[in-house]
Amino acid sequence: MSTEAFQPARILNQGSTQEKAEGARLSNFIGAIALSDLISTTLGPKGMDKILQSPSNLLDSTITNDGATILGSIQISNAAAKILIEISKVQDDEIGDGTTSVVVLAGELLKEAEKLIHKRIHPQTIIKGFRLAKDIALKKLRSVSQDYSENQEELKKYLKKIAMTIFSTKILTPYKSLFADLAVDSILRLKGSTNLESIQILKKTGGLLKESYIEEGFVLDKKIGVGQPKRIENAKILVANTSMDYDKIKIFGSRVVVNSSSKLAEIEEEEKKKMLRKCQKIVDHGINVFINRQLIYNLPEQFFTDNGVMSIEHADFAGIERLSLVTGGEIVSTFDHPELVTLGTAKLIEEIMIGEDKLIRFSGCKEPSACTIILRGSSKQILDEAERSLHDGLAVLSQMVKNPKIVLGAGCTEIIMAQAIEEAAKETSGKIQIAMESFARALTRIPTIIANNAGYDAEQLVSELKTKHYKGNNTFGIDVMGGKVCDVQKIGVFESLLVKEGMLLKASEATEMILRVDTIMNSAPRRRGMN
Amino acid sequence: MLRFDSSGKPFIIIRDQDQKERLTGSEARKANILAAMTVANLMKTSIGPLGMDKILVDQDGEVTATNDGATILKNMQVENPIAKLLVELSQGQDDEIGDGTTSVVVLAGALLEESLSLLEKGIHPSKISEGYEKACDIAVKHLLKICDKIEFDKENCGSLVKAAKTSLGSKIVNQYTEKIAKISVEAVLAVADLERKDVRFDLIKLEGKTGGTLGDTELIDGIIIPKNFSHPQMPKQIKNAKIAILTCPFEPPKPKTGHKLDIDSVKKYKELLEIEQNYFKEMTDLVKKSGATLVLCQWGFDDEANHLLLQKKLPAVRWVSGTDIELIAIATGARIVPRFSELTEKKLGKAGMVIEKSIGTTDEKMIVIEKCSNTKTVTILVKGGNKMVVEEGKRSIHDALCVTRNLIKDNRIVYGGGAAEISCSVAVNKASKENTGVEQYSIRAFSQALLSVPIALASNSGLNSLEAVSEIQLKQMEKESSFLGIDCLSKGTNNMKEQYVFDTLRGKIQEFLLATQMAKMILKIDDIIRPTGQY
């Protein structure tokens, strides 16, 4: 009892832990660096993929090389590693690509910072140097970027090249030209909108990746009701969101009380009539196609069949919104005023077969701003990965249309930035200089890792590249296919400025955040059964 | 503990020793002081522009990285009762002032640390308390003497920006202090009533969004609600909107009284259907009739109602949160209407422009209400590369807003960088000599404790802390100037007036008072009783 006064006071809850100063820093560095090492092997055109197995179902596995997907599915308790996962996710949400490089760059920055801390440089000094370096790099990056907002024709060409650069690091590599065309084509249909929801990607197993194509019209992965026409020309479409099973009485507290089975039959009869009246109202809109978000039961379906109306049930939320976008019809829930409702139109609706599946194709629509890309592939995993890759490409392109600035890829811009920082560092005196040089080194690590993953003598290549740049050949980069230093403009590797900018800014922000930390406090895990 | 009543029977006042842990007298005090010091030491490294952050991992593994004293303490899961008091102390400072939450804890810790040696000398705790009280009085009076006034008005708010910058200097946003300080000051000035010196904080909304960097943080003249229009085909932009704010759902009413409506015939069934459909029609008609061009509703809509609204060309937003509703009501001058039948044109709010905007590649949308008619309402949209940065950015901006508000309420300031503390310490030390007896010791201890903040500041800045502080003490005494402080950012001058580093007088006084109070309270405790075996 009396000893308590002399023991170090425990102020936290039982089970909570605290790591301080060096310990905290060490655990942060180890966590973040381990994470970035983990995914650095996926970087670049010759990066490798990972298999992710879900803990609950061992049969359910994903094969991917998309940084955000990998990081999103690994379970991690290290706080710093969580910050890196978060930046990768934000990069994915905001720009769509560069999710791996942002984490790798942050990891490399932290590796450099660790060395500096061993040299007894205060974290705040390192942060200062890193900030300065980041600003210089950003300025340089922006100054070497080319703006194509004036020249739409040129932009189209570059969009394709950018898409090809993105796809060259993914499973789509062999057919990158085909997919780049698909992506550019569908993005240009959006006419500047960034809503990727209106590009539908349909995955159908069977066939080969190269058999994927863009569907001119719009394809809905649903079935037409039994016995209804499979082909309708000059369709007038009513897009609805209403219950077509039975109409729930929405007045609160009401219930049906009957005292005989005949009464019950009467009510049931009335219920049916009510539904049929609703159907009649719908048909009175003068339509020949009815698409509902919710289920359509047999009774109404039959009614529609009798009236020669094609009915499609259970088109989900996104499907309905896309449909209304494509056909120009409004989403309807009440049917009393046919004169006020805008109907959707399509020149032709027909059932088509892709592989073994029946799908419905709408062609000749009013607003062709939405479109469908049909992906074919031999397995579910391939299709999933192809979809992710395509999505990355589409996301970047959609942002590109808004902000059409282009930089050179293949490690060229990283070297340009690194050299700009090194130049500036020479004029900065004090410990900050060392931190700036470290930042430049971290940047050059990215082409090094890419070359490494491709199996080349990376250090050799990068040093050759540096010399080239030093001599003023500022368009040189590493040709990962040929394994040599070459003019990037010739091999046509272009990237979006936004991706690089996002990578630089997010990685340095996260690094700064992790460097600033000197204490980690872990709460005791929630006890089982408490909540 | 056992006592015997008049008839000699024992009864238990406090349960047996083996079930309780008990510390008394000086042991209790020492244990308490030790606990308080542990907390204070933890916070010390976060002080100043070069202070470090802490990562807090909560029960569910969520990560918070912060430099804000109040936030660290709140999320620390403290168990020790004394440490809990300090958590409350920091909360108190946060609620009152909003800034200085770390320093107040460090000061309280230092006061207790000093009292430890006084206790060892055999000075009675209540004597120490008295001395502290007196010393605190002296310090506060001294603060009032050395304080400066800053002048500003709506157009000329440079000095306010500088104060906000001091507050932001220690946070992760310090890369963009200039911009964010400006935003904070503009936001406060937009809603401030300079005549009455009042700032309505509820008119400033802080909204966070990941994406971009902290530098992309912007001030929006209006309100943002993270929602979208209820029907995808409603117009995305409404000019000169007349806004109806409803707190009733677009659904048939649900009386609170339990009831049942029995349907036993076909006729009733048909009637009911008609009534139901009329409900919806009536509701939308009433809204339309009032002349509204935008409906904001706290509740959900039925699909049918939603479509009727579209047909009537009434854009609508559902599930708007209660606080947003209130804010919009204040900003647009709308009345919050709980029943459709009570909706009239007078009760509508007005806004120049309402737009739905989408962000990034994900399908996230938000609605911006601009040019509100009634009161100025502003939103600060905080951007950042990740969730944690955004959260920390929000906390930092909140601090800066508080500082600005405090300056509008009371434009007196003291100089930062430890200058005020050092000056007070000198003054208190001088005054201690005028007191005789035991009090002299405790007053002197107080003056020592005051130095803890500048010392922590200097050591966080990588300076030889004791040397730096004593040097400034000397300089202050020589030149009799109270604005010399620690040069944390190596700008080459100790003159805080030139560096424009200052704190609000209110905040500083509050800090001294709260810390002293807390130290006195902890010193008074001489018995800790705690059940054992519970953990």
Side-chain angles (χ1 to χ4, degrees):
Chain A
M1 181 178 97
S2 59
T3 52
E4 180 154 327
F6 304 103
Q7 279 170 352
R10 187 164 63 84
I11 51 165
L12 296 175
N13 272 356
Q14 191 133 39
S16 301
T17 53
Q18 209 191 99
E19 291 168 90
K20 282 173 110 171
E22 292 298 308
R25 230 163 261 143
L26 198 68
S27 107
N28 272 344
F29 284 143
I30 289 176
I33 291 170
L35 190 77
S36 97
D37 281 350
L38 173 77
I39 64 162
S40 70
T41 54
T42 63
L43 200 64
K46 296 208 174 164
M48 304 301 276
D49 291 1
K50 310 254 176 234
I51 289 188
L52 308 168
Q53 232 159 14
S54 88
S56 52
N57 178 6
L58 291 179
L59 295 173
D60 178 22
S61 59
T62 311
I63 304 176
T64 183
N65 107 351
D66 182 48
T69 312
I70 299 172
L71 294 176
S73 50
I74 45 181
Q75 286 166 5
I76 280 211
S77 62
N78 183 288
K82 272 192 186 149
I83 294 180
L84 292 196
I85 292 177
E86 171 75 18
I87 55 170
S88 168
K89 200 179 135 266
V90 174
Q91 174 89 355
D92 194 32
D93 287 350
E94 201 183 15
I95 305 163
D97 195 33
T99 51
T100 309
S101 22
V102 68
V103 174
V104 172
L105 181 60
E108 292 301 327
L109 284 171
L110 285 170
K111 268 186 204 167
E112 292 292 335
E114 191 185 12
K115 283 184 212 155
L116 297 179
I117 285 176
H118 279 306
K119 287 183 191 159
R120 298 269 152 230
I121 297 178
H122 194 272
Q124 292 283 9
T125 318
I126 303 175
I127 288 173
K128 231 185 209 170
F130 277 9
R131 272 184 189 175
L132 213 59
K134 181 205 77 186
D135 288 341
I136 294 162
L138 193 62
K139 225 166 109 193
K140 188 76 193 171
L141 182 66
R142 284 185 180 151
S143 75
V144 296
S145 73
Q146 277 166 311
D147 191 344
Y148 286 97
S149 49
E150 301 297 317
N151 195 339
Q152 288 296 325
E153 279 308 304
E154 280 291 292
L155 179 64
K156 244 181 240 178
K157 262 191 249 160
Y158 281 108
L159 281 182
K160 188 182 169 192
K161 285 189 175 150
I162 288 169
M164 279 168 72
T165 312
I166 295 167
F167 294 145
S168 70
T169 66
K170 320 262 167 171
I171 197 170
L172 305 175
T173 320
Y175 321 111
K176 58 184 177 188
S177 174
L178 168 77
F179 281 100
D181 280 335
L182 285 185
V184 174
D185 209 19
S186 46
I187 284 295
L188 290 177
R189 278 162 193 260
L190 289 183
K191 299 192 180 75
S193 147
T194 56
N195 188 1
L196 293 182
E197 286 282 304
S198 30
I199 299 176
Q200 187 188 17
I201 300 178
L202 266 186
K203 297 173 285 183
K204 286 287 158 202
T205 38
L208 298 169
L209 267 179
K210 67 173 175 191
E211 286 164 12
S212 306
Y213 63 100
I214 186 165
E215 182 60 60
E216 277 306 318
F218 177 79
V219 174
L220 192 67
D221 192 359
K222 292 288 172 236
K223 289 198 174 54
I224 297 174
V226 182
Q228 291 166 350
K230 302 287 181 226
R231 184 186 155 92
I232 285 188
E233 278 180 51
N234 292 326
K236 287 201 186 96
I237 309 162
L238 185 69
V239 186
N241 175 17
T242 185
S243 56
M244 288 303 267
D245 37 9
Y246 77 103
D247 263 325
K248 195 170 66 189
I249 301 171
K250 286 164 186 165
I251 291 176
F252 193 65
S254 58
R255 61 172 187 182
V256 176
V257 179
V258 287
N259 46 18
S260 71
S261 55
S262 62
K263 281 257 175 78
L264 180 66
E266 276 172 27
I267 298 244
E268 199 195 341
E269 189 55 38
E270 186 53 35
E271 199 179 276
K272 267 189 199 162
K273 272 192 201 152
K274 182 181 155 194
M275 181 47 72
L276 289 179
R277 271 201 302 277
K278 190 170 177 181
C279 293
Q280 185 60 50
K281 275 186 202 162
I282 291 171
V283 173
D284 284 347
H285 282 67
I287 55 164
N288 46 20
V289 181
F290 176 72
I291 303 168
N292 194 16
R293 188 179 78 76
Q294 299 171 28
L295 288 171
I296 301 176
Y297 268 35
N298 286 347
L299 178 77
E301 186 181 315
Q302 199 188 338
F303 185 86
F304 290 131
T305 314
D306 292 346
N307 283 282
V309 172
M310 176 196 276
S311 66
I312 301 166
E313 64 169 8
H314 212 227
D316 45 37
F317 250 122
I320 277 286
E321 286 196 17
R322 271 192 215 116
L323 263 175
S324 67
L325 209 64
V326 175
T327 61
E330 67 180 52
I331 302 173
V332 182
S333 298
T334 56
F335 307 99
D336 290 333
H337 297 282
E339 70 280 3
L340 295 177
V341 173
T342 326
L343 294 177
T345 54
K347 282 234 168 61
L348 178 67
I349 299 177
E350 61 182 340
E351 199 173 65
I352 52 165
M353 298 272 288
I354 297 176
E356 292 193 336
D357 298 310
K358 285 180 189 164
L359 303 164
I360 307 163
R361 177 166 68 193
F362 297 72
S363 42
C365 297
K366 206 170 170 188
E367 253 324 295
S369 62
C371 61
T372 305
I373 296 173
I374 314 251
L375 284 180
R376 305 302 310 275
S378 51
S379 76
K380 187 175 149 286
Q381 276 83 2
I382 288 185
L383 283 175
D384 285 346
E385 175 65 356
E387 186 192 8
R388 274 189 294 272
S389 313
L390 197 58
H391 180 265
D392 281 5
L394 290 174
V396 173
L397 291 185
S398 73
Q399 296 293 321
M400 278 300 295
V401 175
K402 267 206 294 194
N403 190 354
K405 289 187 180 148
I406 292 164
V407 292
L408 292 174
C412 172
T413 29
E414 278 85 359
I415 300 289
I416 294 177
M417 288 192 276
Q419 290 198 334
I421 295 169
E422 275 166 9
E423 278 304 307
K426 281 174 196 155
E427 291 162 19
T428 320
S429 63
K431 285 185 241 179
I432 297 175
Q433 184 190 37
I434 308 174
M436 286 169 77
E437 281 166 0
S438 297
F439 195 99
R441 217 168 312 131
L443 272 174
T444 46
R445 284 288 300 160
I446 292 209
T448 318
I449 291 172
I450 293 176
N452 231 337
N453 285 346
Y456 300 120
D457 186 353
E459 299 296 340
Q460 173 72 22
L461 276 177
V462 172
S463 58
E464 275 174 35
L465 179 60
K466 274 166 130 176
T467 325
K468 281 274 186 217
H469 274 261
Y470 189 66
K471 284 180 183 157
N473 298 319
N474 285 334
T475 56
F476 273 65
I478 296 174
D479 177 8
V480 183
M481 295 303 149
K484 57 183 190 300
V485 172
C486 67
D487 190 338
V488 183
Q489 274 172 334
K490 278 196 192 123
I491 56 169
V493 180
F494 296 95
E495 286 191 63
S496 158
L497 171 70
L498 287 170
V499 174
K500 286 269 178 266
E501 229 180 63
M503 172 188 94
L504 187 68
L505 291 174
K506 293 202 177 62
S508 50
E509 205 166 75
T511 312
E512 188 178 316
M513 189 155 199
I514 294 170
L515 277 177
R516 279 176 66 98
V517 169
D518 76 335
T519 308
I520 304 173
M521 274 175 270
N522 287 301
S523 294
R526 205 180 279 284
R527 262 179 240 159
R528 245 167 236 278
M530 267 173 73
N531 277 321
Chain B
M1 199 186 281
L2 285 175
R3 286 283 183 274
F4 297 93
D5 62 13
S6 51
S7 57
K9 281 183 190 157
F11 68 90
I12 299 165
I13 298 175
I14 300 173
R15 251 185 291 157
D16 286 333
Q17 288 291 328
D18 57 322
Q19 284 168 11
K20 293 270 175 190
E21 246 183 69
R22 192 157 174 239
L23 288 174
T24 48
S26 66
E27 263 163 15
R29 260 176 230 118
K30 272 178 197 161
N32 285 344
I33 291 172
L34 216 56
M37 276 162 58
T38 317
V39 177
N41 282 337
L42 195 74
M43 308 298 297
K44 255 182 198 169
T45 53
S46 291
I47 281 190
L50 295 180
M52 304 295 278
D53 289 3
K54 316 257 177 265
I55 282 187
L56 305 156
V57 183
D58 78 0
Q59 291 175 320
D60 303 320
E62 284 291 310
V63 175
T64 311
T66 183
N67 174 287
D68 181 55
T71 311
I72 298 173
L73 287 170
K74 199 164 67 190
N75 295 329
M76 232 167 59
Q77 287 224 325
V78 168
E79 179 196 77
N80 185 297
I82 298 302
K84 271 189 187 150
L85 285 178
L86 287 178
V87 174
E88 303 246 318
L89 171 68
S90 159
Q91 289 295 312
Q93 176 83 3
D94 197 31
D95 294 344
E96 263 302 296
I97 307 294
D99 194 29
T101 48
T102 313
S103 331
V104 71
V105 173
V106 171
L107 184 58
L111 284 173
L112 288 168
E113 193 176 349
E114 291 296 329
S115 66
L116 204 57
S117 65
L118 297 180
L119 283 172
E120 265 164 23
K121 284 192 185 113
I123 300 175
H124 194 272
S126 62
K127 281 279 172 208
I128 302 177
S129 295
E130 271 168 37
Y132 277 2
E133 182 77 56
K134 226 174 221 175
C136 183
D137 260 4
I138 300 167
V140 169
K141 269 184 201 134
H142 185 70
L143 279 179
L144 288 170
K145 211 158 60 190
I146 63 170
C147 72
D148 231 337
K149 267 187 190 169
I150 54 164
E151 298 302 329
F152 58 87
D153 50 55
K154 278 231 163 172
E155 278 71 44
N156 192 2
C157 53
S159 48
L160 286 180
V161 174
K162 276 164 196 152
K165 269 167 82 178
T166 310
S167 161
L168 292 170
S170 60
K171 315 278 159 132
I172 194 162
V173 296
N174 59 5
Q175 193 171 4
Y176 310 103
T177 32
E178 186 72 45
K179 183 173 177 192
I180 291 179
K182 236 181 218 155
I183 287 178
S184 312
V185 172
E186 270 171 35
V188 174
L189 284 179
V191 301
D193 185 344
L194 289 182
E195 307 255 303
R196 286 196 301 125
K197 296 195 172 180
D198 189 26
V199 180
R200 289 192 61 181
F201 251 21
D202 50 350
L203 297 181
I204 303 175
K205 199 179 169 204
L206 272 175
E207 191 70 42
K209 197 97 218 166
T210 49
T213 65
L214 280 171
D216 298 331
T217 299
E218 56 183 327
L219 181 70
I220 289 163
D221 186 11
I223 304 165
I224 295 181
I225 39 177
K227 292 272 178 294
N228 49 9
F229 286 118
S230 61
H231 196 287
Q233 278 148 336
M234 286 173 176
K236 306 288 177 219
Q237 187 173 352
I238 307 156
K239 271 185 198 165
N240 296 323
K242 286 184 193 155
I243 305 171
I245 299 181
L246 296 168
T247 52
C248 43
F250 264 91
E251 276 163 18
K254 285 184 185 173
K256 297 242 172 15
T257 330
H259 68 284
K260 283 194 179 70
L261 183 67
D262 288 349
I263 304 162
D264 52 6
S265 69
V266 171
K267 193 170 156 249
K268 278 195 182 168
Y269 185 81
K270 278 184 177 167
E271 273 172 15
L272 195 69
L273 182 75
E274 215 150 281
I275 294 170
E276 181 188 298
Q277 283 186 335
N278 276 337
Y279 261 128
F280 292 119
K281 267 180 215 146
E282 211 175 292
M283 283 174 189
T284 39
D285 279 345
L286 278 170
V287 177
K288 191 73 190 173
K289 227 166 64 190
S290 70
T293 56
L294 173 67
V295 183
L296 301 179
C297 185
Q298 196 175 3
W299 302 98
F301 303 163
D302 193 89
D303 285 339
E304 283 181 40
N306 201 4
H307 180 245
L308 281 175
L309 285 170
L310 175 74
Q311 213 163 49
K312 293 236 154 60
K313 303 208 162 38
L314 271 173
V317 185
R318 56 185 153 186
W319 300 118
V320 183
S321 76
T323 42
D324 283 345
I325 287 250
E326 275 172 33
L327 198 59
I328 296 166
I330 295 170
T332 62
R335 294 270 297 276
I336 297 174
V337 182
R339 290 268 173 281
F340 285 97
S341 49
E342 287 164 24
L343 200 62
T344 58
E345 198 177 349
K346 267 190 205 156
K347 291 181 179 170
L348 299 179
K350 290 187 187 66
M353 180 71 90
V354 180
I355 314 178
E356 185 185 86
K357 284 181 179 168
S358 60
I359 304 149
T361 62
T362 47
D363 195 26
E364 267 187 273
K365 294 200 175 98
M366 46 168 60
I367 292 175
V368 185
I369 303 175
E370 286 172 347
K371 296 178 198 143
C372 303
S373 64
N374 202 16
T375 333
K376 285 287 275 185
T377 321
V378 291
T379 305
I380 300 177
L381 184 63
V382 185
K383 297 269 198 100
N386 59 57
K387 216 168 48 200
M388 301 95 185
V389 166
V390 173
E391 286 304 310
E392 175 69 354
K394 269 162 91 174
R395 281 190 288 271
S396 313
I397 291 177
H398 181 257
D399 282 6
L401 292 176
C402 288
V403 168
T404 319
R405 172 197 59 182
N406 294 342
L407 278 175
I408 288 177
K409 279 192 172 167
D410 182 350
N411 66 349
R412 286 174 296 179
I413 49 124
V414 288
Y415 289 95
E421 281 90 351
I422 293 174
S423 174
C424 285
S425 162
V426 172
V428 172
N429 197 16
K430 219 185 257 169
S432 73
K433 284 160 198 155
E434 292 158 17
N435 283 282
T436 49
V438 195
E439 267 174 15
Q440 191 182 3
Y441 282 91
S442 45
I443 294 176
R444 209 177 297 149
F446 190 94
S447 98
Q448 277 303 312
L450 276 177
L451 293 180
S452 62
V453 173
I455 287 174
L457 202 56
S459 78
N460 287 347
S461 312
L463 303 171
N464 186 339
S465 50
L466 293 176
E467 209 168 274
V469 171
S470 57
E471 189 187 329
I472 287 169
Q473 248 177 321
L474 198 67
K475 271 192 193 164
Q476 280 205 357
M477 283 203 275
E478 272 172 8
K479 295 185 184 163
E480 288 194 2
S481 57
S482 61
F483 45 80
L484 296 176
I486 307 280
D487 179 20
C488 298
L489 296 168
S490 325
K491 283 192 179 162
T493 172
N494 289 119
N495 191 332
M496 291 296 129
K497 224 176 195 168
E498 279 171 27
Q499 285 203 17
Y500 296 110
V501 177
F502 39 71
D503 291 321
T504 57
L505 175 70
R506 260 177 64 117
K508 200 52 87 184
I509 290 180
Q510 191 74 16
E511 194 181 308
F512 284 6
L513 290 177
L514 283 179
T516 313
Q517 215 172 31
M518 183 56 60
K520 275 166 59 190
M521 185 166 154
I522 292 174
L523 280 172
K524 262 194 167 163
I525 300 169
D526 72 341
D527 203 340
I528 313 171
I529 304 163
R530 177 167 67 192
T532 56
Q534 192 179 317
Y535 301 105

